[in-house]
Amino acid sequence: MHGDRLVDERGSRVFAAGKLDNGTDQEVNGDTVFEIGSMTKTFTALLLVDMVERGEMKLDDPVAKHLPESVQVPARNGKEITLLDLVTHTAGLPRDPDNLTSTRGLPENPWKRRR
């Protein structure tokens, strides 16, 4: 399975190949949701380092400083969670949100290999 969206001066186009592994013949398309796993962690950390080096952020900045005021960020042991806490996975946040279940987008065990 593979799906990509290309955006350029001609607009947006979707390129997809393969079928879903859900017992149907449904093909992958631009609306197919993929589990991206941990791939984004590396890219996010690199972007954060770049922004810190350019003076746009500091690792000890509270996360709340960079979010809308309407977002309530939990505290950890009475301390505000910082960007460093997030990037080093020491913020104490749960692995998955409470509303991500097998009936709302997450398989029962997404890491179990199908044979």
Side-chain angles (χ1 to χ4, degrees):
M1 288 188 299
H2 181 71
D4 286 314
R5 182 177 305 271
L6 173 68
V7 179
D8 62 15
E9 63 276 354
R10 292 179 280 178
S12 175
R13 291 173 283 161
V14 174
F15 298 90
K19 296 183 184 283
L20 297 180
D21 186 21
N22 64 358
T24 71
D25 284 338
Q26 187 177 355
E27 294 188 359
V28 174
N29 62 44
D31 294 322
T32 303
V33 177
F34 290 92
E35 174 75 35
I36 58 174
S38 296
M39 292 183 348
T40 59
K41 293 174 188 170
T42 301
F43 295 109
T44 303
L46 289 172
L47 290 172
L48 177 60
V49 168
D50 185 56
M51 294 177 83
V52 168
E53 286 180 353
R54 287 188 278 145
E56 297 173 3
M57 296 180 156
K58 294 179 181 174
L59 289 175
D60 61 352
D61 280 352
V63 173
K65 178 179 180 178
H66 302 285
L67 295 172
E69 288 184 24
S70 61
V71 176
Q72 293 184 351
V73 179
R76 179 153 193 249
N77 298 327
K79 289 178 50 186
E80 288 186 283
I81 296 172
T82 66
L83 296 175
L84 182 63
D85 293 328
L86 289 181
V87 79
T88 58
H89 306 279
T90 58
L93 298 175
R95 191 191 91 181
D96 293 319
D98 293 341
N99 64 348
L100 189 61
T101 65
S102 59
T103 59
R104 296 198 60 198
L106 185 68
E108 193 66 36
N109 181 351
W111 293 274
K112 182 179 180 184
R113 293 200 106 121
R114 293 182 184 195
R115 300 193 190 270

